[in-house]
Amino acid sequence: MEETNNNNNIYKKKQEILKILDEIKEQSKLNKKKSSKYRRLHNGSNALINFSNACGISSLITTIASFNPVPLIIGSACMSISTITSATSNALSFNDKYLICRTTHTQLEDLNRQVRSQLLKNHLTSEQYDEILEEMAHTISLINDSSIY
């Protein structure tokens, strides 16, 4: 009777670990999507800054060569757009957010892979399942401390 209770207890612990692993996998997917979003925003803002700088400098050089005020206005507008985009991009720190989300995604994937490999071992005891649960909780806590959300 005691062995049946022990086996049932082990089964419940294993199911709890698998449930947590499924949640980890979902969090990992979410962080991967966020990292892609922040990467696109970072690349887009950098492209806009570079384009605005190129247009601004070209327009200013054209103004010097032709003494026409229109390229001066265009160049000033482009340089203003570049400055505003650069300040906004720096303030929102898209690249930092991208790196944090990517790191969180990688850490969660590593944890998932590590625990699943431990579960492949046959005849784990109840105490070993407890150790796995404690280790998972500790690692998840460390990952969450360094993540954005």
Side-chain angles (χ1 to χ4, degrees):
M1 185 72 161
E2 185 176 317
E3 187 174 318
T4 304
N5 285 340
N6 191 28
N7 286 340
N8 193 24
N9 192 19
I10 289 173
Y11 176 77
K12 286 181 182 179
K13 288 179 183 180
K14 185 173 183 178
Q15 292 306 311
E16 182 66 26
I17 291 171
L18 291 173
K19 180 181 160 194
I20 293 170
L21 288 176
D22 289 340
E23 292 172 9
I24 288 172
K25 192 158 190 81
E26 288 302 313
Q27 274 189 330
S28 176
K29 286 180 185 178
L30 180 64
N31 274 286
K32 186 175 183 179
K33 285 181 184 178
K34 287 179 187 176
S35 72
S36 295
K37 177 182 84 170
Y38 289 128
R39 184 61 160 179
R40 283 191 310 274
L41 288 170
H42 175 71
N43 289 342
S45 65
N46 279 348
L48 181 59
I49 291 167
N50 292 337
F51 176 76
S52 297
N53 283 337
C55 288
I57 290 171
S58 299
S59 296
L60 293 175
I61 290 173
T62 303
T63 301
I64 293 171
S66 68
F67 299 110
N68 189 350
V70 175
L72 178 62
I73 295 169
I74 293 171
S76 297
C78 287
M79 295 308 273
S80 296
I81 290 170
S82 172
T83 302
I84 291 168
T85 305
S86 178
T88 304
S89 180
N90 287 340
L92 296 175
S93 61
F94 293 132
N95 195 45
D96 292 342
K97 291 178 181 177
Y98 157 71
L99 293 173
I100 291 169
C101 288
R102 187 184 71 178
T103 302
T104 301
H105 162 71
T106 304
Q107 290 172 335
L108 289 170
E109 286 294 311
D110 289 346
L111 176 62
N112 188 15
R113 193 171 25 271
Q114 174 193 4
V115 172
R116 287 193 188 275
S117 69
Q118 289 176 338
L119 291 178
L120 290 175
K121 297 177 184 175
N122 290 327
H123 310 295
L124 292 173
T125 64
S126 181
E127 291 79 22
Q128 288 172 319
Y129 280 110
D130 289 336
E131 288 175 17
I132 291 172
L133 281 167
E134 286 177 28
E135 183 180 320
M136 283 176 62
H138 177 70
T139 306
I140 290 170
S141 173
L142 291 174
I143 293 170
N144 287 338
D145 285 345
S146 66
S147 72
I148 293 177
Y149 304 101

